[in-house]
Amino acid sequence: MKAIVKGKVGRNCKIGEGAIIDEFVEIGDNCIVEPYAVITGYTKIGDNNHIFSHAVVGSIPQDLKYHGEKTYLEIGDNNKIREFTLINPGTEGGGGVTKIGNNNLLMGYVHVAHDVIIGDNCILANAATLAGHVVLENNVVIGGMTPIHQFVKIGEFAMVAGASAVSQDIPPYCLAEGNRAKLRGLNLTGLRRNLENRNDIDEIKKAYKELFESGKPLQETAKKLLSNTQNRYVKHLCEFVLNSKRGIPYVRKV
């Protein structure tokens, strides 16, 4: 069965048999679309992406409020989108666009719902599911079979263990696990792999203990730490806590 290619396809792309690329799709250079993948809707994809068999990219949102309005999906460069992954565009009420950055790995059966924002260098293991309006900052790892509740935000370098269920915001640099997921410490493996300055890691450790293990009021502690630090990672952690809309699922220690 020949591929059906109606959209714009860049240079040096390989399109497998039975793949469908609809008319409003734009694909950059050096991409691979494996057999029987479907790319549809107002979808724009960058360079050097690999979309595997039976992935469905850009199909209409699974949202009853969606009534056929023109919305978008934007995917950056160097992403791997594995078999049977489903990615939806945005909705009018959510800003109209779903965005995925660069160098991400979405393993098999991952679902990325409407109005989701994913940064760079994220890994979503098999059957991780992001509900609408979820935000992942850079370098996030989501374990397999883990659902993320709508409107949840997960900070940079955070890691969520497999088979968890996340209903509140997970701060940067933290490790979360459980149903419902709670903070279990810092993602020290990820930090040690990516932060060259060990002093930064030490500062993050101190801030974590003060925020989540001291028993002090969280918002008050975050404000105090923010006013007394020059470390950009600690600042980001405190600002994340202060701006959280769904709350932080930590276990208060007294």
Side-chain angles (χ1 to χ4, degrees), residues 72-252:
Y72 301 89
L73 169 62
E74 299 176 4
I75 298 175
D77 303 330
N78 304 305
N79 296 288
K80 288 183 172 59
I81 299 171
R82 295 303 304 252
E83 294 84 355
F84 296 98
T85 289
L86 172 62
I87 306 174
N88 298 139
T91 62
E92 187 175 34
V97 62
T98 298
K99 291 184 179 181
I100 297 175
N102 306 314
N103 304 302
N104 298 292
L105 169 59
L106 279 57
M107 297 187 193
Y109 293 91
V110 162
H111 175 48
V112 178
H114 59 88
D115 306 294
V116 165
I117 306 296
I118 297 176
D120 301 333
N121 308 306
C122 294
I123 299 173
L124 280 65
N126 295 287
T129 56
L130 308 186
H133 313 279
V134 165
V135 175
L136 304 187
E137 294 184 343
N138 298 334
N139 301 287
V140 170
V141 178
I142 307 295
M145 304 293 291
T146 291
I148 312 294
H149 194 282
Q150 61 182 351
F151 294 101
V152 159
K153 185 174 183 179
I154 299 182
E156 65 177 6
F157 292 106
M159 181 174 184
V160 181
S164 298
V166 181
S167 60
Q168 292 179 284
D169 297 337
I170 305 301
Y173 326 120
C174 291
L175 177 66
E177 180 269 336
N179 185 358
R180 301 294 174 118
K182 303 289 184 184
L183 299 190
R184 307 297 183 185
L186 287 169
N187 180 18
L188 289 174
T189 299
L191 293 175
R192 287 167 180 156
R193 285 175 178 169
N194 291 280
L195 301 189
E196 294 181 0
N197 189 339
R198 288 298 184 263
N199 290 332
D200 287 331
I201 297 176
D202 291 339
E203 291 299 313
I204 294 169
K205 286 180 180 179
K206 292 175 185 176
Y208 180 91
K209 290 179 180 179
E210 189 71 8
L211 286 165
F212 306 119
E213 296 183 352
S214 68
K216 299 175 183 177
L218 184 59
Q219 295 283 312
E220 180 181 313
T221 304
K223 289 177 182 177
K224 185 176 179 180
L225 282 171
L226 185 59
S227 66
N228 292 326
T229 187
Q230 298 300 316
N231 185 280
R232 71 181 184 92
Y233 298 104
V234 175
K235 284 184 177 181
H236 184 52
L237 178 57
C238 292
E239 289 168 349
F240 187 101
V241 169
L242 292 170
N243 292 323
S244 173
K245 298 295 191 296
R246 293 195 56 83
I248 308 297
Y250 72 106
V251 179
R252 184 186 296 271

Side-chain angles (χ1 to χ4, degrees), residues 10-112:
R11 297 170 299 173
N12 302 315
C13 290
K14 298 179 181 178
I15 311 298
E17 68 172 78
I20 297 174
I21 300 173
D22 278 338
E23 59 181 325
F24 301 115
V25 173
E26 296 182 28
I27 298 177
D29 299 336
N30 304 305
C31 291
I32 300 172
V33 180
E34 298 281 7
Y36 304 104
V38 175
I39 307 175
T40 188
Y42 292 91
T43 297
K44 186 173 183 178
I45 298 173
D47 300 335
N48 303 305
N49 292 287
H50 193 167
I51 299 171
F52 285 74
S53 296
H54 302 285
V56 178
V57 178
S59 62
I60 64 172
Q62 298 180 110
D63 185 338
L64 294 175
K65 299 186 295 298
Y66 179 77
H67 297 295
E69 58 269 24
K70 185 177 179 180
T71 58
Y72 301 89
L73 169 62
E74 299 176 4
I75 298 175
D77 303 330
N78 304 305
N79 296 288
K80 288 183 172 59
I81 299 171
R82 295 303 304 252
E83 294 84 355
F84 296 98
T85 289
L86 172 62
I87 306 174
N88 298 139
T91 62
E92 187 175 34
V97 62
T98 298
K99 291 184 179 181
I100 297 175
N102 306 314
N103 304 302
N104 298 292
L105 169 59
L106 279 57
M107 297 187 193
Y109 293 91
V110 162
H111 175 48
V112 178

